[in-house]
Amino acid sequence: EADIYQTPRYLVIGTGKKITLECSQTMGHDKMYWYQQDPGMELHLIHYSYGVNSTEKGDLSSESTVSRIRTEHFPLTLESARPSHTSQYLCASSDLGGLAEEQFFGPGTRLTVL
Amino acid sequence: GDSVTQMEGPVTLSEEAFLTINCTYTATGYPSLFWYVQYPGEGLQLLLKATKADDKGSNKGFEATYRKETTSFHLEKGSVQVSDSAVYFCALSDRSRAYGQNFVFGPGTRLSVLP
């Protein structure tokens, strides 16, 4: 079954730790995205990728970094987590060039930095 | 640039009430339009979509019609259930821009349905 996965679902860590949020999709989609969702619900695009070795910054400035070494994998890394990074992180993918190009979302990772 | 505006929430309704969530958009190209739903603790799920003017998207009793003349894509349901309580996002994809940030979400509308 084609799907998009995120791990971990929940993460509580201390300030200064390095973390990586994992995102994988089995749909063969070229485009992948990371969103940060604030408590007010609004989605903010922080990174996206057109394909392997492509990464772009989104609208919201973020201290995180991403990589795209394989089509199916788009991890997000925070080198030194801070309480201001506490948020819900959503990964999504879409088929570049598709008629409607809807995005498919993973279940999210809720990050709490103490 | 492209943008999506939704009615502010929260919206609170009684079970079996009629639901309308307004959505209007601005786009320079020929967008596809979407409604996504987010249940508590989950990611977004596509609820319905429309790819051209006058198309009607429908799913699970929800409907929305792509109105180019009013640049709107209002979400409606005739009789809501408690299980419809969620956050609803209107969104557009501007297919004339294959590269760049061509997917835009509205701010979301929280719906609470009371028994």
Side-chain angles (χ1 to χ4, degrees):
Chain A
E1 179 182 315
D3 214 335
I4 181 164
Y5 307 93
Q6 289 186 245
T7 57
R9 291 293 311 277
Y10 303 93
L11 181 60
V12 181
I13 60 167
T15 297
K17 299 292 186 183
K18 178 180 178 179
I19 61 167
T20 296
L21 307 185
E22 300 288 349
C23 176
S24 294
Q25 50 96 4
T26 59
M27 294 172 280
H29 286 167
D30 295 305
K31 290 186 80 170
M32 296 189 74
Y33 314 78
W34 275 104
Y35 291 89
Q36 187 172 337
Q37 186 173 29
D38 60 25
M41 308 174 302
E42 193 160 353
L43 295 166
H44 302 284
L45 181 66
I46 51 175
H47 298 283
Y48 61 102
S49 165
Y50 299 123
V52 172
N53 294 326
S54 155
T55 61
E56 304 286 344
K57 290 188 180 296
D59 299 319
L60 182 67
S61 176
S62 173
E63 294 164 346
S64 59
T65 59
V66 292
S67 63
R68 191 88 182 275
I69 298 173
R70 303 197 316 265
T71 298
E72 63 272 21
H73 195 213
F74 192 42
L76 181 145
T77 298
L78 277 167
E79 290 292 334
S80 179
R82 296 207 302 268
S84 60
H85 296 139
T86 294
S87 190
Q88 167 92 326
Y89 292 85
L90 293 170
C91 181
S93 69
S94 67
D95 185 12
L96 183 64
L99 178 62
E101 206 176 311
E102 62 259 40
Q103 294 190 4
F104 297 82
F105 281 81
T109 294
R110 181 160 295 283
L111 173 65
T112 303
V113 184
L114 304 176
Chain B
D2 298 347
S3 66
V4 174
T5 303
Q6 289 180 237
M7 64 186 290
E8 288 189 24
V11 174
T12 302
L13 297 173
S14 297
E15 204 165 24
E16 299 184 3
F18 185 86
L19 169 70
T20 299
I21 301 178
N22 290 337
C23 170
T24 57
Y25 68 90
T26 58
T28 54
Y30 304 94
S32 295
L33 301 174
F34 309 88
W35 278 101
Y36 283 82
V37 59
Q38 185 178 30
Y39 298 104
E42 298 183 11
L44 278 68
Q45 301 174 25
L46 180 65
L47 181 59
L48 53 84
K49 67 182 180 185
T51 58
K52 62 183 187 296
D54 299 326
D55 269 1
K56 177 185 282 188
S58 62
N59 186 26
K60 300 180 181 179
F62 291 90
E63 293 184 339
T65 301
Y66 189 142
R67 302 285 189 201
K68 189 176 180 181
E69 64 276 13
T70 54
T71 62
S72 64
F73 193 55
H74 305 321
L75 182 69
E76 297 182 335
K77 187 175 185 182
S79 177
V80 293
Q81 305 300 311
V82 172
S83 57
D84 294 326
S85 298
V87 179
Y88 293 83
F89 292 90
C90 186
L92 70 81
S93 169
D94 187 347
R95 290 166 290 154
S96 68
R97 296 172 54 209
Y99 292 90
Q101 298 172 41
N102 64 343
F103 209 99
V104 179
F105 283 94
T109 302
R110 185 178 300 278
L111 170 67
S112 295
V113 180
L114 305 178

